[in-house]
Amino acid sequence: MTTYTTNPPALVVVAHGSRDPRALSTVRQLLDRVRALRPGLPVHLGHIELNAPLLPDTLAELDARGTGAAVLVPLLLSRGYHVKRDIPEMAAGARLHARVAAPLGPHPLLVDALHARLTEAGWHTPADGATRRASGVVLAAAGSRDPESRVDTGRTARLLAERLGVPVVPAYASAAAPTVPDAVRALAARGRHRVAVASYFTAPGRFATECAAVAPGIASAPLATHPAMAHLLLHRYDQTARTPSTTPLELASAV
């Protein structure tokens, strides 16, 4: 845990936004977990789109309160347009000093959360070799046209494969290939018919629901309020707050 000798910058968790009301409720619960872990740290929420408060409104309100600085931590799992363009542009337009942290992934804490969610859904890594050779996992992510987003998701898939001891194939709900059904078929073509879908989403929503619906076996719940998520938000905040010269893209390669 990082301690500060002066007032710490506010933590602003930047969520994408969703038309699914469960998403906003989930994000608010996650922020409550962060507050419980770090009492006294100002923790706020801003959205890129679709939900209030929008990020520019949150930053304007903080400025009106006299807040001098904020660290914006994207509640996003990989690099992409929102991390590289949208959030930095909103930060640059704020009156207060706002810096942008790296996205949450890849990071071992995400693998902890993914593993836990799979276990909760009924996944057990088989002990016998024959069943293990017939098993696999599809890591279902939102998808992005940015190749670095796919690199980040692929790294998470490799970390999860090391944890589970079975192949993990990254797949996407939109904007990238393969799709989740394609990944399931690819595993089946390799003789792996015992397939689970690991939901690589921060909160419930359309993409998470659609990916779970095509799972041939178990499908885990979104990462949501798993304790590792709150710890990871604070980790990204601390990384940025204590290293003024580090850019979000440099932090993205760090754990």
Side-chain angles (χ1 to χ4, degrees):
M1 173 177 171
T2 297
T3 56
Y4 299 92
T5 57
T6 59
N7 290 335
L11 164 58
V12 178
V13 176
V14 185
H16 181 276
S18 171
R19 292 183 176 86
D20 190 320
R22 296 174 298 169
L24 180 55
S25 174
T26 297
V27 172
R28 286 174 171 163
Q29 292 176 52
L30 178 57
L31 265 62
D32 286 341
R33 282 188 174 271
V34 173
R35 295 184 182 105
L37 288 172
R38 190 74 60 88
L41 175 65
V43 180
H44 302 272
L45 174 63
H47 292 93
I48 298 170
E49 59 183 1
L50 298 176
N51 292 123
L54 294 173
L55 178 57
D57 296 333
T58 296
L59 297 177
E61 182 178 352
L62 287 173
D63 177 64
R65 293 180 184 178
T67 301
V71 173
L72 281 50
V73 181
L75 188 61
L76 301 170
L77 300 173
S78 65
R79 291 170 288 179
Y81 189 85
H82 292 315
V83 171
K84 295 178 179 180
R85 293 290 300 275
D86 286 339
I87 299 174
E89 287 177 0
M90 293 178 193
R95 288 170 54 90
L96 80 170
H97 180 58
R99 296 169 50 221
V100 183
L104 299 185
H107 195 277
L109 283 170
L110 288 175
V111 178
D112 291 344
L114 286 163
H115 188 199
R117 290 291 189 238
L118 281 167
T119 301
E120 291 166 2
W123 172 267
H124 300 286
T125 300
D128 63 287
T131 307
R132 187 184 294 266
R133 287 189 294 274
S135 301
V137 170
V138 173
L139 182 67
S144 170
R145 293 182 179 86
D146 190 317
E148 289 187 316
S149 176
R150 294 192 290 275
V151 169
D152 291 343
T153 304
R155 184 177 176 193
T156 299
R158 290 191 294 275
L159 291 172
L160 183 59
E162 292 172 3
R163 178 73 63 87
L164 298 178
V166 300
V168 176
V169 178
Y172 306 95
S174 69
T179 65
V180 173
D182 286 345
V184 170
R185 285 190 288 268
L187 284 168
R190 295 159 55 185
R192 296 184 181 271
H193 300 281
R194 179 181 179 264
V195 176
V197 171
S199 182
Y200 197 40
F201 300 97
T202 56
R206 179 170 65 89
F207 284 164
T209 299
E210 290 175 351
C211 291
V214 299
I218 67 170
S220 64
L223 303 178
T225 56
H226 188 276
M229 298 291 285
H231 286 284
L232 184 50
L233 284 167
L234 286 170
H235 173 65
R236 291 302 193 209
Y237 168 86
D238 289 336
Q239 276 186 311
T240 305
R242 69 173 179 249
T243 52
S245 63
T246 305
T247 69
L249 295 187
E250 289 170 340
L251 280 173
S253 64
V255 297

